[in-house]
Amino acid sequence: MAFPTETVYGLGADAERAESVRRIFAIKGRPATHPLIVHLASAEDLSGWGKSLSQAAFRLAEAFWPGPLTLIVQRSARVPLEVTGGLETVGLRVPSHPVAKVLLSTFGGGVAAPSANRFGAVSPTTAEHVVSDLGDEVDLVLDGGPCTIGVESTIVDVSGETPVLLRPGGVPAEALEEVLGGALARRGSPAVRAPGMLPSHYAPRARVELVGPSELAERVAAACVAGRKVGVLDVGPEGTPLPENVAVRRLAGSDLDRARRLYQALRELDQAGCEIIYSSLPEERGLGLAIADRLRRAAGPRD
Ligand code: TXA
Ligand code: MG
């Protein structure tokens, strides 16, 4: 079953039924060693699903749940190894979307859910995206409208002595640091298994190339001359002259407006048949850090 959260749509199953959890991996085409996030109804569930919890875990849960934050903690015996891909830690999150809240509180247990897209592709931010990605393989899609944040949750590992930011997302790093009272360590351990950290993740079909605003016009013109179908995402000052057959999507407005539009825009450029998408990067603070992270990964090497 797919359901909306404030970040992206999730493909959910009872976290305590190993068989259902295995089906998620099969539908997504995701390697069984890549861990899933367990979604919970309330911050009070933290102690039931995690163990040996740190002060930082409780502080962050209290400050940001329900909301777009995933905490990596030691797993309790309640969490099957199928969910964690064999790890002794588990990702927990209490979403704030009203439909997710009702689903989770009515169900009462934990719902293991990755984003409801095929492995490596752009995450779905509407029910239509889920249907177009996963089609008949999902028996039910709860339609809660477009996601209000539009990029995945921020992931913080609080299972060790120092909290580590593993993935920038819907809660800005600055807000976490304010609650923690100090700078947050950034991910650096290549040993951590997390598909969201693969360079080619969150990628549309088209090749994404990051360019500075000043190079845009020239690069686009060269690609057009070479006969490529070109798309442009949020690049350059208004009015940069671009050939008529270039598909343009601008992510205007606040950081939140941009985050909300990001995946939809990448999908639209794919649908327009673009072979190359040129994009610039936003300033890397607030939600801009998550947007830049996803664009870098979309531009990363494909395997
Ligand atoms: O916003 C979100 O987080 C969405 C919604 C549906 O909640 N979910 C999502 O799930 O993005 P997914 O599976 O696409 O990405 C979850 C990330 C992966 O990079 C995974 O490796 C990481 O969380 N993760 C989960 N458990 C982990 C663990 N124990 N240690 C390290 N990383 C973990
Ligand atoms: Mg995902």
Side-chain angles (χ1 to χ4, degrees):
M1 178 234 6
F3 65 100
T5 80
E6 67 279 21
T7 57
V8 301
Y9 275 70
L11 178 62
D14 183 343
E16 289 169 282
R17 281 188 52 175
E19 193 188 316
S20 314
V21 170
R22 278 195 288 268
R23 226 174 97 74
I24 291 183
F25 285 94
I27 292 174
K28 270 197 71 115
R30 174 158 164 155
T33 49
H34 288 298
L36 303 179
I37 294 171
V38 176
H39 298 71
L40 304 169
S42 146
E44 284 162 29
D45 299 330
L46 176 60
S47 334
W49 291 81
K51 67 169 190 193
S52 314
L53 295 160
S54 59
Q55 269 301 103
F58 284 113
R59 278 220 207 121
L60 293 176
E62 193 191 344
F64 298 105
W65 282 356
L69 176 69
T70 295
L71 295 174
I72 308 293
V73 299
Q74 299 293 326
R75 76 175 173 103
S76 77
R78 198 167 177 185
V79 183
L81 285 169
E82 273 79 5
V83 170
T84 69
L87 295 175
E88 284 307 318
T89 54
V90 62
L92 301 176
R93 162 156 129 82
V94 177
S96 64
H97 192 290
V99 174
K101 283 173 92 162
V102 171
L103 173 75
L104 290 163
S105 57
T106 308
F107 175 58
V111 172
S115 51
N117 53 283
R118 303 242 181 239
F119 188 62
V122 173
S123 293
T125 52
T126 66
E128 290 76 23
H129 294 165
V130 179
V131 174
S132 83
D133 281 4
L134 301 178
D136 293 343
E137 293 194 69
V138 186
D139 42 16
L140 179 71
V141 182
L142 294 179
D143 188 347
C147 299
T148 51
I149 293 180
V151 291
E152 297 81 354
S153 60
T154 303
I155 304 182
V156 181
D157 186 344
V158 283
S159 68
E161 260 171 41
T162 2
V164 182
L165 177 68
L166 295 184
R167 177 177 74 181
V171 174
E174 296 87 340
L176 297 166
E177 288 174 337
E178 208 173 303
V179 168
L180 292 172
L184 192 54
R186 303 292 155 117
R187 142 180 61 97
S189 158
V192 180
R193 290 188 212 147
M197 294 161 203
L198 297 178
S200 66
H201 229 62
Y202 308 105
R205 280 193 304 272
R207 194 170 91 222
V208 176
E209 287 199 23
L210 302 175
V211 293
S214 58
E215 325 160 65
L216 177 71
E218 203 182 309
R219 297 286 295 278
V220 168
C224 288
V225 167
R228 319 295 295 273
K229 173 69 185 163
V230 175
V232 169
L233 182 70
D234 184 36
V235 188
E238 210 69 58
T240 300
L242 295 170
E244 235 173 54
N245 54 346
V246 171
V248 181
R249 293 293 178 280
R250 249 173 233 289
L251 302 182
S254 66
D255 269 3
L256 184 57
D257 294 332
R258 291 169 180 220
R260 209 179 268 160
R261 284 271 301 143
L262 175 68
Y263 289 149
Q264 170 77 31
L266 288 173
R267 278 170 191 269
E268 285 172 9
L269 292 173
D270 258 347
Q271 268 153 24
C274 296
E275 298 162 83
I276 308 183
I277 298 171
Y278 290 106
S279 174
S280 60
L281 291 176
E283 227 186 299
E284 297 188 47
R285 47 181 183 75
L287 279 177
L289 186 64
I291 298 171
D293 172 78
R294 303 309 187 268
L295 285 171
R296 283 216 171 85
R297 288 177 204 288
R302 303 294 177 89
D303 45 19

